[in-house]
Amino acid sequence: MTLRTAEADDRPFLQRGVANDALRRPLGAPVLDRDAFETYVEDSDGDWFVVCLDEDAAALGYPANGDTRPIGCVTVEETSYKRPVLTYWLVPDAQGQGYGTRAVSLAVDLVFRQYDVPAIGASAFAFNDASRGLLESLGFTEEGRRRKCMFVDGDHRDMVDYGLLREEWDGDS
């Protein structure tokens, strides 16, 4: 499994991912058509990465695009501030296999190598036990709760905020 920089050719995959109800609801993402999604990505000040699995025929090191299969996305937003924020998702077929933990771990390593920041933030809905468990397994600490933060599935939902300090990260996860 690897992270690679998202390119323009990846945008249809990314847009379909966040439009998928199984992903959109836990993310609290609005439905965006391709044009709106293009604008959203272009206006973002973050780094976008596609989570990929290598196919059996993939060469070592730098496999060709056709030799990898995209399974998700990790973004690092607000990189111009002292506390970048991670978001992430995996297609439903790839969930529950450890790929999310590995992808977020790689993103945390990248942020602490690339940016002079003391901490990284992330958030998850209170009802999203899998996402909260992923963050906690990597050493993120619950730092707060935004009550009734977003309207999802016909109800106002709480968002739980997490943080990870540079000195707390060992990178072995």
Side-chain angles (χ1 to χ4, degrees):
M1 197 222 63
T2 188
L3 296 182
R4 66 171 172 74
T5 303
E7 304 292 341
D9 291 348
D10 295 309
R11 289 184 184 171
F13 166 76
L14 298 171
Q15 186 267 335
R16 283 190 312 272
V18 296
N20 179 329
D21 271 353
L23 300 174
R24 185 180 59 75
R25 288 187 173 131
L27 290 170
V31 176
L32 300 174
D33 64 23
R34 285 189 181 176
D35 291 337
F37 185 77
E38 290 284 332
T39 301
Y40 175 75
V41 171
E42 289 169 10
D43 290 346
S44 168
D45 86 340
D47 298 326
W48 289 66
F49 301 97
V50 178
V51 181
C52 295
L53 293 180
D54 291 346
E55 298 292 350
D56 291 336
L60 294 176
Y62 300 96
N65 280 346
D67 292 342
T68 63
R69 179 170 55 101
I71 62 167
C73 178
V74 177
T75 64
V76 183
E77 299 285 341
E78 301 178 20
T79 56
S80 59
Y81 296 106
K82 288 292 182 189
R83 192 176 181 113
V85 176
L86 298 178
T87 60
Y88 48 89
W89 57 263
L90 294 176
V91 297
D93 291 349
Q95 294 175 5
Q97 300 177 52
Y99 298 131
T101 301
R102 181 73 181 129
V104 173
S105 178
L106 289 170
V108 170
D109 278 341
L110 181 140
V111 168
F112 283 141
R113 281 193 326 267
Q114 187 77 19
Y115 301 102
D116 184 18
V117 296
I120 299 172
S123 298
F125 281 109
F127 66 80
N128 192 338
D129 293 334
S131 188
R132 294 182 65 203
L134 182 156
L135 293 170
E136 291 168 6
S137 76
L138 292 175
F140 281 78
T141 300
E142 183 177 328
E143 296 182 329
R145 178 180 293 253
R146 291 177 279 156
R147 297 179 300 159
K148 296 188 177 191
C149 178
M150 292 185 78
F151 191 73
V152 178
D153 281 342
D155 202 5
H156 289 91
R157 306 293 181 144
D158 290 0
M159 184 70 73
V160 181
D161 295 321
Y162 287 88
L164 178 67
L165 301 177
R166 180 183 288 274
E167 58 267 19
E168 295 170 337
W169 179 245
D170 63 17
D172 291 334
S173 299

